[in-house]
Structure formats: structure tokens, C-alpha cells
Amino acid sequence: MLSGGGARAAYQVGFLRHVASRHPDLAPGILTGVSAGGIIASYLASHPGRFIDAVTALSDIWRDLQIDQVFRVDTRHLTTRVGRWALRLMSGGAPGAPGAKSLVDTTPLQQLLVRMLDAEPDGTLGGIARRIEQGRVGAVALTASSYTTGQSVTWVQGRGASRVITWEGAQRESLGVPLCVGHVMASAALPLFFPAIEIGGAWYGDGGIRLTAPLSPAIHLGAKKIMAVSTRYARSREEARDPAVSGYPPPAQVAGVLLNAVFLDLLDSDAIRLEQLNALIDRLPPGSHDGLHHINLLVLRPSQDLGRLANEFEADLPNPFRFLIRGLGSRETRSNDLLSLVMFQRDYIARLIDIGESDARARASEIDAFLARP
């Protein structure tokens, strides 16, 4: 299970690099992802080669990534979009007010995904279907948030009717579909920053908005053990008490706190719930589990604050985009979580990949034991 985090997902790539070096033929039966984690999950599920081949190719793509391959950062596009937002806010909802869909244009990201996922002409990810037919992948799940209905929607592609297990609730539903580039784009559409994606007459945004239980798609699909890779740094009590700003918080700080709460903190609470349920199941006498079973869980996360690290690379952003970000107060906070989500800078990404590898190396024996566990 790969969580969201925008550019922070480079950390997950680094983590997978070390895992692949020790387990080159690893074959996860279920791959689930949300936001940028969904991009990685889709790539791993689509690649025709061994696990190490897929991860190596993925790492090469991320190391060469630049911000203009994700969204347009030229002065004309940014000025036009910011101007549209300003006019819309000042229009009072008057008829004929300019439309304002997002702060940036993610057409470059769509074009990149078509190439890296080797999409069919209609956008379908044929590689996933082939891998499922070969029995090398059991199921792939991507989650998005429906702006049209307010629900959390998980799109699932699996092997045969028995593998497409769907579930529903008041605020969530799942659909068995052939996955396409649109599903990946929708799952990764940061609210307001990236434009929403239309699929089947409904509009979707980042899956982390309403996904209150990030582990649930894997559990519903029958996972017996889950390796979850987060991009959220677990601060110590002393670090948590250290103020990130002085004085009134700028918009960048407020947005960073909100994005962490919505996209990244929920994995921690979901993991606690699963461990509590595991402890309860283990105490029940045999024959009284009522279909419940113990699910082994390993949560992996960065050893460094990736938001604080982003400040070191802020000065290298393209001038128009840096001007916009600084207008939101990016230089007024010491832990720049908002900036880290969109810091698709080659040097920052390379640093995150290296940190991910180092963290995986430090926990190699724990990871090996987890993968070897029945």
C-alpha cells in the first residue's frame, strides 16, 4: 500500500529500490495506492519485467523528473490561472465570470503517464490486464474522491469475478473497471492545485480527501499481510512542540497542516485500529473469529522531515512558480509541507530517493522477516 504525498513519493521509489535489490523477484499479489502512490502502484502493476526491472526503470524516470513535466510553470500560464481565480473571487458569482478550475495545468503529467504506463490509444492500461491474465498480479486498486457525490471511490481491476471484490458504505464505494490514465490522474489531483478529472460524467480529485481507512482496499481484496510505505515523518514529542512559524501562520503553513491531516495522518490511525483488532482476534478462542483473521502489518516511513528538507531546494524552483509559492508564505515556515508536495525538482527528488534507500537499508532485516513470514 503506497500512500500519497506528491513529490514526496520519490521517497517510496528509493525505499523500493533497496527492497528490490534484496528481493528482485518479489511479486506483490495486491497493489493499492492513492495520489502519487497510485502512480507508482500502477507502474509496478503495468511493467512486464521482474520486480527489480520495474523498480529500476521507475527510479530512472523519477530521477529525470522535472517540474515542467508535471505542470506548466511558464509565466503566461501561471499568470492566466491566478488572474482567473482573482477575477472569479471578485465577481460575486456574476454571470459570465471566468472559470477557474485549478492553479496549474497538469497536461504535461497526463502526457508523461501515457508514456511511462504505455497506455493504449483510449488510455487503458493494457499492461495491468496482461499481468493479471498471466497471474503475476492479483488485483490493483486506485482511490479517488468524487467531487460530484462526496464519496471515496476505489477503482479495482482484478483476476476474474472472484478477484473483483467490491464494497460499499455511506461515504465509500468500489467499482470493478479496466484501469486507465484518467483513474491515475484523478487519484493524484491535488484539490484546487490540480484540476479535477471527469470520468463517466462525474468529477474526481485526490483520493486522500475522503479515504479515512487507507488500508481498507487491500483488506477488502483479501490481503493477509500488508506493507504500507508512508511519506509522513513521525516527529518526536520534542519536535512536535517546536513551532514551525513565528507569528500569524501564512497560507502555506495552514495548507500544509490541512494536507497532512487529510492525506497522510490517516494511515497512522488506521494502522492503530488494525493492530487493536489483531490483538482482539488473537485473544478469541478458535472457531469464534466469525470470518475475521489476523493481518500482519508493517508500516515504513521517512527518518527525516521531508517538509523541512524542501526548504533547502526552494530557491531552485522556476522563477514564476517560486514567485507564486513565496506569495503563499513558503519562506515563513520551517517545515514546508505544502512545498514538499509540489517540489518536483531533480535535486530534491534525488535526495528523497537516497533517503528512502537508506531507511530501507536500516530496516532490511525487519523487512526480510516480514516478507518471509507465512
Side-chain angles (χ1 to χ4, degrees), residues 17 20 51-61:
R17 272 180 60 89
F51 184 68
I52 191 169
D53 298 330
V55 173
T56 300
L58 179 67
S59 176
D60 291 341
I61 292 172

Side-chain angles (χ1 to χ4, degrees), residues 60 72 81 89 147 221 235 257 261 295 324 335 338 346:
D60 291 341
R72 290 176 174 167
R81 287 179 174 267
L89 290 172
Y147 292 140
L221 290 169
R235 296 184 295 172
V257 171
I295 298 176
L324 173 63
S335 184
L338 172 62
R346 187 173 294 174

